[in-house]
Structure formats: structure tokens, C-alpha cells
Amino acid sequence: MAENENNGNAVAEEARAIVAVVEEKAPCKDKELGDCGGGGGGGGGGGDDDIPKASKNKNPLLEINNLEKAIATMTLILSIPVLGFIVWIFYVRESECESILKLPSFQIGIGVGLIFLFLISNAVVFLRSRYPVLGLLIVMVPLLLTFIIGLALVGAYKMESRSVAASPKWLRLKVFDQAHSQDIKTCIYDSGACDDLVSRTLMLKSYDFSLKKLSFIESGCCMPATICEMEYVNATFWRKTGGPIDPSNPYDSDCNLWDNERGNLCYNCISCKTGFLRTLQAKWRKLGIFLIVASLLLFISHLILFLSSVFKQFRI
């Protein structure tokens, strides 16, 4: 009997030891697999050698991919204004008698160049993973040309070539060339700019007319210069008061050239040519600013996209 009792006590102690071991290992259900696997510090394949699942999700390549996709999307968005500007160029290609100076053909050439830039830019975005270096070199050529043309149109550098069409120096030479003077005068007259000014200001008094904002052509071709000090009757009819004229001032000669006849007015005046010139320069300067800004933004986005693509390939 005593022997059976001893055996029973031994079995019970072994059972309690097994239960204790199971209870000690139970919390491992809520831990990562690597923390439960080796028991002691020396067991084969301890928990320090296993990578937790949370750390596997923090892959730097995923962050690079997300950045690259964001930059690619931004590059595509930046090309949309270029497409809109192309549409504007082809639908508004002639204004303010520009055909006399053959500017519409140059404007169409810029539009065709922007079409190539749009197609090349988007093609490089889609093929960046295969040809990153070649794509960057290809897209940099039209971007550089666009940037240079934009600088020429705004007259940003003093050594500007007179052969660059629509640049400030080129426009001044063409407008003040005697070969184009009569054509410009006839075109402005046929456009009816002064007739429109009369119809819009017919009921205005002298003070109200002086406050009205006029275009460069209206103020230069349809009315005498303010230095002439003529008396206002209406927008295109002024009485000469016989004020002093300074022959050294080029604009003072316009006072003698002024004529109240509808076909003369101040079409032969220096102020009329200057107004026509400023109208052209304002338009082409805006076009040049757009080309500069668009080329710079696309250059920066393509460069960042190239660096991210190369970095991702080296990491892989």
C-alpha cells in the first residue's frame, strides 16, 4: 500500500510539473513566433535572429516607389498646361496685325515644338524604369530649347540676337522699319480700334475720359499725346491750343502730325508705332514667361524622377 501511495504521489507531482510548464508557455500565443521559439538564450535559432512582421512592412523600397509614383503623377499634371497652351496658340494665332510681321508662322512653330515636348515628356515618364538615363537626355533637349526661346522672348539677356523672331529688339526693328509703316497704319485703321473707342466714350466729359483706361493702340493712335495740351471734344477730336513745342522731344513732333480727320488721326505718330510695339511685346512677353516657367518645372520634376528611378534600381 505504501508503495502504491508513493507511486501515486510521484505521478501527481509529475502532472503538476507538466501543468506548470504549460502555464509558463501559454503567454507565447500572444507574442511573435520568434520570441517563443528557442526557450533559453542558447537554444538554436533564438528569438533575436527572427524578423518581426511589423519590421517587414517598413520596406524602404516601398517608400521609394510611392515617391516615384507621386513625382510621375506631378510630371503628368505639369504637362497639362502645355497642352492647353498649344490649343490657345492654334486658335488665337493672330492678333493686332501680327501677320504684317509674319509672326503667326513663328507662333505655329512654337505650337508644334510644344506638341513634341508634351509627347516626349509623357513618353519618358512611362518608360523611366527601362531607359532612365536615355530618357533624361532626350527630354532635356526640348526643355533646354524651350527655356532659351522663353528667355529670348522676354529679352532676359543683353546679347539677345536680332534674328530671334518676336524678341523685343526684333519687334522694335520691324515696327520702326519704314517698309512696314504704311501696312501697320492701314491695318490699325481697318481694325476699327479708334471707331470702337468713340462709340464707347461718346457721352463722356473731359474729366471722365481722362480717367478711362485705354489700350496702348488707343492711347497712341486715336488721340494726341498729353504733352500737346489739346482741348478735348471727343475721343478722336481735339482742338489745338498752340502750346509750346520742343523740337528735341521726339513725341512733340506728334503734335504737328495730329489730324482730326478719321483717316489720319495720329496713325503717322511715333506714339502710334510705340503703342503697337508695346501691344506686341506684352503678348510675346507673356508667352516667354510661360515657356520659362513650364520648362523649369518640367526639368525639376524629370530630374527628381530620374534620381528616384536610379536609386531604386541600385537598391534592388
Side-chain angles (χ1 to χ4, degrees), residues 109-234:
I110 292 179
V112 173
L114 289 178
I115 291 176
F116 280 104
L117 175 61
F118 177 80
L119 296 176
I120 292 173
S121 176
N122 290 323
V124 170
V125 171
F126 288 109
L127 299 176
R128 64 187 183 276
S129 59
R130 294 184 179 180
Y131 314 104
V133 178
L134 181 61
L136 180 66
L137 294 177
I138 291 175
V139 79
M140 287 300 112
V141 174
L143 285 177
L144 182 60
L145 291 176
T146 303
F147 181 74
I148 293 174
I149 293 175
L151 289 179
L153 294 181
V154 301
Y157 47 92
K158 295 181 179 179
M159 299 302 294
E160 172 193 353
S161 175
R162 296 182 180 182
S163 61
V164 179
S167 62
K169 287 185 178 180
W170 187 91
L171 289 174
R172 176 171 289 277
L173 289 174
K174 294 296 182 179
V175 170
F176 283 90
D177 188 355
Q178 293 299 324
H180 300 111
S181 296
Q182 186 61 36
D183 293 335
I184 292 174
K185 170 186 171 181
T186 303
C187 183
I188 295 176
Y189 174 80
D190 292 340
S191 67
C194 295
D195 293 336
D196 293 340
L197 177 62
V198 172
S199 62
R200 287 188 288 108
T201 61
L202 189 61
M203 304 302 295
L204 296 181
K205 301 297 182 181
S206 175
Y207 177 75
D208 297 328
F209 181 81
S210 63
L211 298 178
K212 190 171 184 62
K213 184 174 178 151
L214 305 178
S215 67
F216 296 132
I217 290 181
E218 289 173 344
S219 61
C221 304
C222 305
M223 56 177 289
T226 55
I227 59 175
C228 299
E229 298 180 358
M230 294 186 184
E231 182 182 353
Y232 169 84
V233 177
N234 62 41

Side-chain angles (χ1 to χ4, degrees), residues 56-107:
K56 291 182 180 179
N57 294 332
K58 296 180 180 179
N59 191 343
L61 289 178
L62 295 178
E63 297 179 0
I64 296 174
N65 288 333
N66 293 334
L67 176 63
E68 186 180 5
K69 291 178 181 178
I71 297 172
T73 304
M74 182 183 68
T75 305
L76 294 175
I77 293 175
L78 289 175
S79 65
I80 294 177
V82 176
L83 182 61
F85 200 75
I86 293 170
V87 176
W88 178 85
I89 282 179
F90 284 107
Y91 277 92
V92 191
R93 56 176 187 235
E94 181 179 350
S95 63
E96 304 298 344
C97 307
E98 290 180 333
S99 59
I100 298 172
L101 306 180
K102 299 181 180 179
L103 288 175
S105 58
F106 178 66
Q107 191 165 324

Side-chain angles (χ1 to χ4, degrees), residues 221-267:
C221 304
C222 305
M223 56 177 289
T226 55
I227 59 175
C228 299
E229 298 180 358
M230 294 186 184
E231 182 182 353
Y232 169 84
V233 177
N234 62 41
T236 59
F237 194 95
W238 299 72
R239 291 194 186 97
K240 294 184 179 182
T241 58
I245 297 178
D246 182 9
S248 63
N249 191 335
Y251 288 97
D252 275 357
S253 61
D254 291 349
C255 300
N256 291 328
L257 292 174
W258 169 260
D259 192 338
N260 287 317
E261 289 293 329
R262 179 174 174 269
N264 294 327
L265 298 181
C266 214
Y267 293 127

